[in-house]
Amino acid sequence: MMFVSVAGTQLMTPERRKAVWAIYVWCRRTDELVDGPNSSYITPKALDRWEKRLEDLFEGRPYDMYDAALSDTASKFPIDIQPFRDMIEGMRLDLWKSRYRTFDELYLYCYYVAGTVGLMTVPVMGIAPDSKASAESVYNAALALGIANQLTNILRDVGEDSRRGRIYLPLDELAQAGLTEEDIFRGKVTDKWRRFMKGQIQRARLFFDEAEKGVMHLDSASRWPVLASLWLYRQILDAIEANDYNNFTKRAYVGKAKKFLSLPAAYARAALSYMFAIRPPRYL
């Protein structure tokens, strides 16, 4: 659910890197509440306490060193508490909801658990002073990147999620493709599954395309790490295709060589003025 990958943060200025890591640590700890080793003991009241703790750290009353790091970030950058609250709402959904009837339902979930990360981090990345784009459009692009990343996670982890009894796919679209929940649990790649996956991947790529439009309007020091992360994550979709859409028993990943090749390409793109739009190299 990261807006910028771990590798991407290494390309940032030290102050921004520290701030982004403080946000990511909080997000990871929040995610671990419902997906970690103690998740079976988590209740809605526990999440209520976590939200109160969030409010305290935003008011300068951190509980521990990790809270203190985010509290410091909130004091230095104009980050808003609402996306953090919304992420906790996504964790509440995970306590009881394991099916999504429509894409609208799934989109809301993706916003809660990942789109929020984009909104959290834009104030840290900064918007270019000479950008002609509105702040709203830049935030919308950041939101699109969070949605794209989460949709990619979902498509990569279909098999893993099904073994936990979860299906993060629009059930109405599965039905339209002639597929059922049992087909997911059976985990067999068929022509119907391939056609369904092609449509899901196409949608995720559209969100990546929308996100990329906003990257060039970020502060110049942030464009390279964000663009590199976007290109790297988008390649997971290529890997799913390379696996013949078998996301039941094969985990799609991007090899080190491809990651390495992406960095200079992203740098070249980011080094150009955001007013010039070029397409990524074909190998991306």
Side-chain angles (χ1 to χ4, degrees):
M1 63 183 172
M2 287 189 175
F3 183 40
V4 182
S5 70
V6 173
T9 61
Q10 302 306 311
L11 307 176
M12 295 180 183
T13 61
E15 185 179 33
R16 285 193 170 113
R17 186 187 311 133
K18 181 180 177 182
V20 168
W21 271 108
I23 292 171
Y24 285 173
V25 167
W26 183 89
C27 291
R28 176 54 58 194
R29 295 174 86 190
T30 302
D31 186 61
E32 286 291 312
L33 292 175
V34 296
D35 279 338
N38 298 315
S39 59
S40 59
Y41 302 104
I42 295 299
T43 65
K45 286 187 177 180
L47 291 176
D48 291 343
R49 289 193 296 270
W50 187 249
E51 185 167 3
K52 176 61 169 61
R53 180 167 168 167
L54 170 71
E55 293 166 355
D56 286 344
L57 74 85
F58 261 81
E59 292 173 5
R61 298 190 302 273
Y63 283 48
D64 60 21
M65 61 182 291
Y66 301 111
D67 286 354
L70 184 56
S71 185
D72 180 64
T73 296
S75 70
K76 292 179 178 177
F77 296 92
I79 61 176
D80 181 50
I81 194 174
Q82 191 57 48
F84 294 85
R85 286 183 174 136
D86 288 345
M87 178 171 282
I88 295 173
E89 190 62 31
M91 300 305 111
R92 291 190 178 100
L93 273 181
D94 262 336
L95 291 181
W96 63 272
K97 192 174 179 68
S98 61
R99 301 290 189 279
Y100 292 84
R101 294 177 301 164
T102 65
F103 180 70
D104 285 344
E105 281 190 13
L106 184 63
Y107 177 91
L108 182 60
Y109 173 75
C110 290
Y111 161 71
Y112 281 144
V113 301
T116 50
V117 183
L119 304 187
M120 293 172 190
T121 50
V122 166
V124 175
M125 303 299 174
I127 298 174
D130 54 345
S131 171
K132 301 291 193 296
S134 66
E136 180 181 5
S137 68
V138 176
Y139 274 87
N140 283 341
L143 173 60
L145 181 52
I147 299 296
N149 285 349
Q150 186 61 26
L151 289 176
T152 301
N153 286 342
I154 287 169
L155 298 179
R156 179 193 62 194
D157 298 338
V158 168
E160 180 181 329
D161 288 331
S162 70
R163 288 187 285 276
R164 298 164 56 211
R166 296 179 177 277
I167 298 177
Y168 292 101
L169 297 167
L171 296 183
D172 62 341
E173 294 180 17
L174 275 174
Q176 289 166 14
L179 297 164
T180 67
E181 292 185 25
E182 284 306 311
D183 290 313
I184 304 298
F185 294 126
R186 193 175 298 116
K188 184 179 179 180
V189 178
T190 63
D191 286 340
K192 287 181 180 179
W193 179 250
R194 292 185 184 95
R195 285 193 294 270
F196 173 76
M197 282 300 303
K198 287 178 182 178
Q200 301 301 306
I201 288 173
Q202 181 182 24
R203 173 188 282 146
R205 284 183 172 140
L206 289 175
F207 278 102
F208 276 121
D209 290 344
E210 184 63 26
E212 190 170 337
K213 294 175 185 177
V215 173
M216 292 301 129
H217 295 284
L218 294 175
D219 185 86
S220 59
S222 300
R223 292 174 205 160
W224 183 23
V226 175
L227 190 62
S229 297
L230 186 157
W231 285 4
L232 287 170
Y233 225 80
R234 186 164 55 189
Q235 289 179 81
I236 294 174
L237 300 174
D238 301 337
I240 295 173
E241 292 174 332
N243 286 342
D244 192 30
Y245 305 99
N246 181 3
N247 43 7
F248 297 115
T249 60
K250 292 184 179 180
R251 184 176 176 85
Y253 70 95
V254 180
K256 290 183 179 179
K258 284 189 175 181
K259 289 180 180 180
F260 180 78
L261 288 172
S262 297
L263 294 178
Y267 180 79
R269 168 74 184 270
L272 297 173
S273 169
Y274 58 86
M275 292 184 292
F276 294 90
I278 64 174
R279 298 301 302 166
R282 290 183 64 86
Y283 61 78
L284 294 176

